[in-house]
Amino acid sequence: MPPKLLTYLILALLAASAAAARRHPSPASSAAAGEPVYLWPLPRNFTSGSRTLLVDPDLALDGQGPGGAAAAVAEAFERYRSLVFSPWAHAARNASGGYDVGKLTVVVASADEKLELGVDESYTIYVAAAGGVNSIVGGATIEANTIYGAIRGLETFSQLCVFNYDTKNVEVRHAPWYIEDEPRFSFRGLLLDTSRHFLPVDVIKQVIDSMSFSKLNVLHWHIIDEQSFPLEVPSYPKLWKGSYSKLERYTVEDARDIVSYARKRGIHVMAEIDVPGHAESWGKGYPKLWPSPKCREPLDVTSNFTFEVISGILSDMRKIFPFGLFHLGGDEVYTGCWNATPHVKQWLHERNMTTKDAYKYFVLKAQEIAINLNWIPVNWEETFNSFKENLNPLTVVHNWLGPGVCPKVVEKGFRCIMSNQGVWYLDHLDVPWQDFYTSEPLAGINNTAQQKLVLGGEVCMWGETADTSDVQQTIWPRAAAAAERMWSQLEAISAQDLETTVLARLHYFRCLLNHRGIAAAPVTNSYARRPPIGPGSCFIQ
């Protein structure tokens, strides 16, 4: 069935079923009066009803349209089917065989599997009983323009499916459902720091899985920092001598595997090498990158070798990371030791440059290397604060120091990503979920054209006090609060009551993460990632 025809049929059904379904232009509660809609993040628009439908444990996929038969759609369907149905579901089949939903039809308009910033992630879902009253299209249908929209729709459909322990059936409650959804921002990120503590590949994949559950779509992989250099760089093979140990490294194959794993879940991987500061570990393999044994960072601005190495790293990374944005850091560059290093001091004197000038020179030269490799450079906000008039116009400025930066950035015509450390840094354990939820990337920006320059936001999991033992419970559930802020329409989430509607749904989503094997901490901790303080239900902690 052509996608447009399907839409017309669904809309006709909605009109016919108006008496049985309830419209939610600003979603807040389901057809059961006062009961929250247990979907996270909230869809843009939906209707729901009052029926409960049984879902066949042998639920079949019917891929339609140019992209419906894509391997990525089939793989995503299998992943979600395994999450929804217990391994023994077939043994508990309904004896009468009477299932309302036996097939999931996924209609995808495009077979293009290219994943780039701004890819269409919109989708619609319709779920109704096959052959039911007023039913035009029975069963369950997801319609999307791209495979990545279909994958987002599969996540929402999986959240509609609830296991009934009394009957041992999977049910869709409050049917029929019609959901129309799309993200508010194109960039919805999570930074993961693997320099301060090494995270095994399987742990990174678990984080990617958990991101897809809340519809985050950019993994900002902060691979390297002053403490360690764990990534293999074929052009300069001694660089990963800066790793903590030979067992705490990522091969090129590891990195490609992570990128492929993320892409299948509609998640970009934005890599970062932070220059010229935060780079002491580089010199473990190539000491010439240090200005001197006593001045180990920033990198030596005077040396052609420094920029040859940066070019080699970026050229090798370009073969691994297809995402159009690349993060070049540029934050916390303490240039004092440049002036205390004789050959650097002489170099500055000959060019009549200050250390601030040298910082600018370094950042702009690194940007040029990245742009020549067809990357859009992303830099931390210090670069904008220090020399905004010299930044390449392509630059995306990444806020972190505090509020009020993005309004200044977009006023100058640059694009911005919001990560205000006071509210969206996950390693700040005293920041409660409410602050994550209410922080608004467009705060202070009233001009519509300037609002479009805000790509979105990113929560940051810096790794000084997080490793495999506690990283997931530090990320979740607070990252989910920011994820809904970045996905759902502002009017819908602003209208909700934090302590009732939102909190109940966040409790539910946290428990869903736990059921899916994600070690999300209790929601209402006064200090993030702490375990429960006593016995109690997952849904009220």
Side-chain angles (χ1 to χ4, degrees):
M1 181 182 299
K4 291 297 183 184
L5 177 57
L6 177 63
T7 299
Y8 297 148
L9 289 173
I10 290 172
L11 291 175
L13 175 62
L14 288 175
S17 304
R22 184 176 176 185
R23 186 68 177 168
H24 305 270
S26 295
S29 59
S30 73
E35 181 182 341
V37 174
Y38 292 113
L39 295 174
W40 196 283
L42 271 177
R44 179 186 180 98
N45 277 313
F46 64 85
T47 67
S48 60
S50 56
R51 288 200 58 184
T52 295
L53 309 181
L54 299 186
V55 184
D56 194 331
D58 290 320
L59 184 71
L61 172 66
D62 179 13
Q64 297 186 13
V73 173
E75 289 177 21
F77 173 77
E78 291 300 329
R79 286 198 306 272
Y80 281 109
R81 186 163 65 173
S82 67
L83 290 173
V84 169
F85 295 100
S86 301
W88 44 264
H90 294 78
R93 284 184 61 85
N94 186 347
S96 67
Y99 290 101
D100 302 297
V101 180
K103 178 177 69 175
L104 176 62
T105 302
V106 179
V107 186
V108 184
S110 171
D112 187 356
E113 296 190 18
K114 187 175 182 180
L115 180 62
E116 56 189 357
L117 186 66
V119 69
D120 189 338
E121 297 175 88
S122 65
Y123 65 91
T124 58
I125 295 177
Y126 173 69
V127 187
V133 178
N134 295 325
S135 177
I136 295 175
V137 182
T141 300
I142 297 173
E143 181 185 352
N145 291 320
T146 69
I147 63 171
Y148 302 108
I151 290 170
R152 301 290 175 248
L154 283 165
E155 171 59 41
T156 300
F157 176 75
S158 75
Q159 292 187 26
L160 290 176
C161 296
V162 179
F163 184 72
N164 185 324
Y165 281 85
D166 291 323
T167 65
K168 297 185 180 179
N169 283 312
V170 170
E171 301 172 344
V172 173
R173 298 163 185 169
H174 308 303
W177 283 93
Y178 177 70
I179 297 172
E180 182 183 42
D181 201 10
E182 64 181 350
R184 184 178 173 218
F185 292 104
S186 61
F187 188 108
R188 307 179 305 280
L190 167 68
L191 178 146
L192 196 63
D193 175 8
T194 59
S195 173
R196 276 50 181 261
H197 283 99
F198 178 83
L199 295 173
V201 170
D202 282 350
V203 173
I204 296 174
K205 288 181 176 180
Q206 289 168 11
V207 172
I208 291 169
D209 282 333
S210 62
M211 289 173 65
S212 70
F213 300 154
S214 64
K215 298 186 174 70
L216 291 174
N217 74 336
V218 180
L219 175 67
H220 175 179
W221 190 5
H222 188 86
I223 311 175
I224 300 155
D225 212 290
E226 63 189 70
Q227 290 85 0
S228 74
F229 195 118
L231 181 68
E232 178 184 19
V233 178
S235 296
Y236 291 92
K238 295 180 182 179
L239 280 170
W240 69 354
K241 284 188 175 182
S243 63
Y244 288 123
S245 72
K246 290 184 178 180
L247 297 178
E248 295 169 288
R249 291 176 171 177
Y250 304 105
T251 65
V252 167
E253 292 78 13
D254 287 332
R256 286 202 178 106
D257 184 32
I258 287 167
V259 170
S260 174
Y261 191 88
R263 184 182 61 81
K264 291 177 181 178
R265 289 151 182 80
I267 294 173
H268 313 276
V269 180
M270 178 177 70
E272 178 182 0
I273 64 164
D274 197 345
V275 293
H278 289 280
E280 180 180 348
S281 62
W282 299 33
K284 299 290 180 63
Y286 296 95
K288 288 196 302 181
L289 293 169
W290 292 334
S292 75
K294 293 183 178 179
C295 178
R296 297 188 171 194
E297 60 182 15
L299 296 169
D300 192 341
V301 66
T302 74
S303 173
N304 289 334
F305 180 64
T306 298
F307 296 99
E308 289 170 8
V309 171
I310 291 173
S311 180
I313 294 171
L314 293 185
S315 296
D316 285 350
M317 288 181 132
R318 199 64 181 106
K319 300 169 187 174
I320 301 170
F321 300 100
F323 187 42
L325 275 60
F326 190 91
H327 209 301
L328 290 168
D331 64 313
E332 297 182 323
V333 180
Y334 305 118
T335 58
C337 76
W338 277 350
N339 265 333
T341 306
H343 78 273
V344 178
K345 187 176 182 179
Q346 178 65 26
W347 185 88
L348 293 171
H349 176 72
E350 290 172 357
R351 289 158 179 77
N352 194 28
M353 291 171 65
T354 65
T355 55
K356 182 178 179 181
D357 295 330
Y359 167 46
K360 176 179 70 175
Y361 167 82
F362 200 119
V363 168
L364 297 182
K365 195 159 184 175
Q367 282 196 338
E368 183 181 355
I369 294 170
I371 291 168
N372 286 339
L373 290 167
N374 199 31
W375 259 323
I376 295 170
V378 184
N379 284 99
W380 295 109
E381 70 175 80
E382 286 96 326
T383 59
F384 175 82
N385 297 337
S386 299
F387 45 89
K388 61 179 74 69
E389 63 280 354
N390 301 112
L391 285 175
N392 190 288
L394 292 173
T395 305
V396 177
V397 178
H398 195 166
N399 150 251
W400 75 276
L401 284 171
V405 176
C406 282
K408 297 175 183 176
V409 168
V410 299
E411 187 179 16
K412 295 295 183 181
F414 294 102
R415 288 174 290 179
C416 192
I417 297 168
M418 194 277 273
S419 289
N420 175 2
Q421 65 173 334
V423 288
W424 276 10
Y425 266 32
L426 293 159
D427 58 311
H428 291 197
L429 303 180
D430 58 343
V431 179
W433 73 267
Q434 294 94 329
D435 289 358
F436 277 81
Y437 192 86
T438 56
S439 298
E440 172 52 45
L442 298 185
I445 306 172
N446 299 317
N447 181 287
T448 303
Q450 292 179 4
Q451 288 178 346
K452 292 179 180 178
L453 294 175
V454 178
L455 298 181
E458 176 180 290
V459 290
C460 299
M461 183 62 264
W462 296 107
E464 284 86 349
T465 66
D467 65 4
T468 297
S469 70
D470 61 0
V471 67
Q472 288 283 31
Q473 54 263 54
T474 312
I475 294 172
W476 307 106
R478 293 181 304 159
E484 181 158 286
R485 170 66 51 170
M486 291 185 275
W487 176 279
S488 303
Q489 296 303 301
L490 179 62
E491 299 77 13
I493 56 179
S494 297
Q496 294 194 76
D497 184 275
L498 284 182
E499 298 304 319
T500 55
T501 312
V502 179
L503 180 57
R505 290 192 304 106
L506 188 54
H507 276 308
Y508 188 91
F509 184 71
R510 179 253 171 165
C511 297
L512 177 70
L513 291 176
N514 287 172
H515 274 283
R516 293 180 176 185
I518 305 301
V523 175
T524 54
N525 276 342
S526 59
Y527 207 62
R529 79 183 177 204
R530 282 185 175 173
I533 59 174
S537 166
C538 173
F539 295 96
I540 56 173
Q541 291 179 144

